[in-house]
Every structure is written in C-alpha cells, then in structure tokens.
C-alpha cells in the first residue's frame, strides 16, 4: 500500500471562510475546518482571539473584521502556543498579548521546533511565511484567570485556565453575559482532534467537565462549525470527550496486552474512522495523537518535542 501524503502537505485548496456575528460586537471566522478565530468589541477597543499562522493570513482576517469595526486591538489572546495560532500576531498591533504562564514557557522551550513542524505539516496555512518576524511572545501571562471589562452594558470577558488538555497551557475566553465561549482547541465541533501535545486523561475528565460547567450557549471550537444552543454545545463537548475516551481505551488495551505502537494506531484508527474519518485533519492528526498517548500511558509526563524530523519518522512508522 502506498504511503499517504504527509500530514496536510497535499491539502492545497483554499477553504471558504465565513464571518459569523454571534452577538452584538462578537465575531467568529470559520473556514471549513481550518483554525477558527474571533474578536470581541469593547466600548473603545477590541479583544482578538487567536492570531493565525502568518501576519499575511492575519491581515486577511483583519480586513474582513474591519468591515464591521475600526476599533484598535488592545488585547490579543492566544489560547495556546501552536504555530498556526500565534505566528501572525504582529499584524494585530495589539497593546497586550495574553497567554497562560505555561504557554510562555512552552514557547521558550519548543516554539522554534513547533514552528518548523507545523509549517511542514500544514504549508497552506502559512501564507507568505517570510512575513513572520519571529516567535510570538506574550506580554501578559496568568495562572488562573484574568477579567477584562468591556464597558457600557457589554459585560466582560473572562480568560480562564481550566486544566491541562490540548496542551498544558490552554485558555478559553468566556463571555458570561452573552454565554459565548471561545474554547480554542479544547473543543472541536465536527472536526477531529489533534492531541500530539495533550494530557488525555486530564482533558477527557476534569478539564472538559470544568468547561461544560461554564454553561455556554454558543461555543466556538478550535476548528469546525460553531455550536449554537445548549444541545449543540453539549454535542461538541461530548464529541471531544468521546474521541479522547476511545483513544484511551484502544491505546491502553494494546499496551496492556504487550502490543506495539503500530498495533495501537491501527486499533484506534479502526475504532474512530467510521464516525470521524471524514472530518477535517483526521488522517493528518491521528499518528501524532496515538504516539503522544502511548508515551503518556508509558509514564512520559510531558510531551516529547515535535520536530520536522520526528514528524516524518512517526508518520512513516504508523500512517502506511
């Protein structure tokens, strides 16, 4: 059998973008399974959520946003450290770049390697990569939560750390008045999960339980469609939890019987493909997902750094 094209390297078709207005002054941009991004209007400034992979890609989003508001960006919120979410930050000219304490540490530890890895995996997202000035560094970090008043009768944005999940530094943006949640990659809605830097056991239990406890009625996940209404929000959280639980069950069973990493990948693929196989980036992510979970169940507490070379090795070993 021929080896599948590496990760998303063969996915070169632009996706159809859609700007959705979730409430007065609350915006989200979706793009058929590409990373979602958002913005929230305060009385006299903007809070943007996520930065995309390059300044050129971010400028395209800002051009769309500017048809609705000309307010300056005061805060740029980075949900976590992955390159496709952060390297476009310079386009926003934000006064403050906000992230979790752990995210700043991860950028210092593995930001350069992650940049090279994600560029190789998803080259289409890196529009004009030469426009990236370097690693993105947050200027404000926190450990638990930060609240940003929006002024007038707009309410507030609560940035929260809910526990380890997709990475050890994921944060969400919660608008309690509007009951809107920007969840980052802690939740996907009709899109597969990337768990290559994850803490599967925490994520599938306490972290998602904490997230569900917020009571969101609109949820913007890291990829996929926007969940509207309590039932769709519950379904998106449930889908994410189910994906993780199946992985834990299948990889754990293979390890317990003394099987191999390749056998764990095959069993997990078989268990997930009927439900999730046609969703965005399923085939791309699963080798890296299973490799990380195998390590986690083997006692490797923190994810091994992904490099471009390690990416290829794992792909060739598993995704045949």
């Amino acid at each position: 059998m021929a080896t599948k094209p590496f990760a998303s390297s063969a996915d070169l078709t632009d996706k159809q973008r859609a700007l959705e207005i979730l409430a007065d002054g609350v915006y989200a941009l979706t793009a058929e399974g590409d990373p979602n991004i958002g913005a929230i209007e305060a009385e006299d400034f903007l809070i943007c959520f996520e930065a995309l992979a390059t300044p050129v890609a971010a400028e395209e989003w800002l051009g769309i946003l500017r048809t609705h508001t000309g307010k300056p960006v005061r805060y740029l919120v980075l949900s976590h450290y992955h390159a496709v979410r952060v390297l476009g930050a310079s386009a926003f000219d934000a006064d403050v770049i906000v992230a979790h304490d752990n995210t700043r540490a991860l950028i210092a530890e593995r930001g350069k390697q992650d940049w090279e890895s994600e560029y190789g995996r998803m080259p289409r997202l890196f529009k004009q990569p030469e426009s990236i000035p370097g690693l993105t560094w947050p200027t404000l970090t926190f450990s638990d939560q930060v609240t940003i008043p929006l002024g007038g009768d707009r309410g507030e944005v609560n940035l929260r750390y809910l526990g380890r999940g997709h990475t050890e530094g994921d944060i969400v943006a919660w608008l309690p008045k509007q009951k809107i949640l920007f969840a980052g990659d802690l939740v996907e809605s009709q899109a597969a999960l990337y768990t290559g830097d994850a803490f599967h056991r925490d994520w599938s239990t306490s972290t998602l339980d904490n997230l569900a406890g917020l009571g969101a009625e609109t949820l913007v996940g890291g990829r996929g469609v926007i969940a509207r209404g309590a039932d769709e929000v519950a379904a998106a959280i449930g889908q994410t939890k189910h994906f993780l639980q199946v992985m834990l069950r299948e990889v754990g069973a293979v390890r317990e019987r003394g099987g191999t990493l390749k056998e764990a990948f095959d069993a997990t693929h078989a268990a997930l493909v009927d439900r999730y196989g046609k969703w965005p980036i399923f085939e791309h992510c699963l080798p890296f997902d299973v490799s990380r979970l195998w390590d986690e169940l083997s006692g490797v507490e923190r994810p091994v750094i992904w490099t471009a070379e390690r990416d290829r090795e794992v792909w060739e070993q598993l995704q045949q």
Side-chain angles (χ1 to χ4, degrees):
M1 183 185 300
T3 301
K4 296 175 181 176
F6 173 67
S8 291
S9 60
D11 180 8
L12 302 176
T13 304
D14 286 340
K15 308 303 180 185
Q16 183 65 41
R17 295 176 298 186
L19 177 71
E20 301 194 40
I21 301 175
L22 309 180
D24 182 29
V26 184
Y27 310 94
L29 188 75
T30 62
E32 297 184 297
D34 276 358
N36 294 334
I37 191 166
I40 303 154
E41 285 191 58
E43 282 292 281
D44 56 0
F45 62 87
L46 284 172
I47 302 169
C48 287
F49 189 78
E50 311 286 37
L52 297 177
T54 71
V56 169
E59 285 165 2
E60 292 180 358
W61 150 236
L62 287 168
I64 297 170
L65 182 61
R66 291 307 184 201
T67 64
H68 294 271
T69 174
K71 295 174 183 176
V73 180
R74 180 172 297 173
Y75 298 95
L76 173 61
V77 178
L78 307 178
S79 69
H80 61 287
Y81 80 99
H82 285 144
V84 294
R85 303 288 183 182
V86 305
L87 291 180
S90 61
F92 292 81
D93 195 25
D95 295 333
V96 182
I97 300 176
V98 190
H100 192 263
D101 293 338
N102 291 343
T103 292
R104 194 183 203 291
L106 287 165
I107 292 168
E109 177 188 47
R110 59 185 71 194
K112 185 176 186 299
Q113 296 95 322
D114 181 73
W115 177 352
E116 295 168 351
S117 165
E118 296 215 335
Y119 179 62
R121 295 182 188 183
M122 296 173 279
R124 179 179 52 77
L125 298 182
F126 286 80
K127 294 184 178 181
Q128 297 185 32
E130 67 278 5
S131 66
I132 302 170
L135 292 174
T136 297
W137 294 98
T139 59
L140 171 66
T141 65
F142 65 94
S143 61
D144 184 25
Q145 61 181 300
V146 168
T147 297
I148 303 172
L150 298 176
D153 61 354
R154 295 175 181 270
E156 63 187 27
V157 174
N158 190 215
L159 306 178
R160 292 197 183 186
Y161 178 69
L162 302 173
R164 300 187 303 182
H166 173 71
T167 72
E168 60 192 292
D170 298 86
I171 60 175
V172 303
W174 168 233
L175 286 74
K177 178 178 180 179
Q178 299 87 347
K179 296 190 180 300
I180 296 172
L181 180 66
F182 290 89
D185 281 319
L186 284 176
V187 178
E188 310 294 6
S189 182
Q190 300 179 32
L193 272 63
Y194 175 65
T195 74
D197 294 300
F199 296 79
H200 296 75
R201 290 171 288 198
D202 289 4
W203 188 1
S204 63
T205 54
S206 57
T207 301
L208 282 178
D209 290 344
N210 289 336
L211 188 149
L214 295 174
E217 295 180 1
T218 302
L219 184 149
V220 183
R223 293 175 183 261
V225 302
I226 294 172
R228 296 177 182 271
D231 290 345
E232 288 188 10
V233 170
I237 297 169
Q239 169 215 308
T240 303
K241 181 172 286 196
H242 178 260
F243 196 107
L244 293 166
Q245 290 172 335
V246 171
M247 288 185 62
L248 283 159
R249 182 190 73 210
E250 297 298 329
V251 176
V254 172
R255 279 198 74 261
E256 287 174 10
R257 69 169 185 261
T260 66
L261 175 61
K262 173 61 171 159
E263 289 169 344
F265 173 80
D266 290 342
T268 306
H269 189 283
L272 290 171
V273 69
D274 286 348
R275 179 168 176 179
Y276 301 106
K278 295 189 182 302
W279 286 3
I281 67 172
F282 174 79
E283 297 291 353
H284 165 162
C285 292
L286 200 63
F288 311 119
D289 295 354
V290 172
S291 178
R292 164 54 188 159
L293 180 52
W294 183 272
D295 284 351
E296 185 179 359
L297 296 179
S298 301
V300 180
E301 175 65 13
R302 298 186 67 247
V304 178
I305 296 174
W306 291 103
T307 64
E309 294 76 19
R310 181 170 176 246
D311 285 356
R312 294 281 181 171
E313 290 171 2
V314 168
W315 187 269
E316 291 170 7
Q317 181 183 4
L318 300 183
Q319 190 65 288
Q320 302 293 328

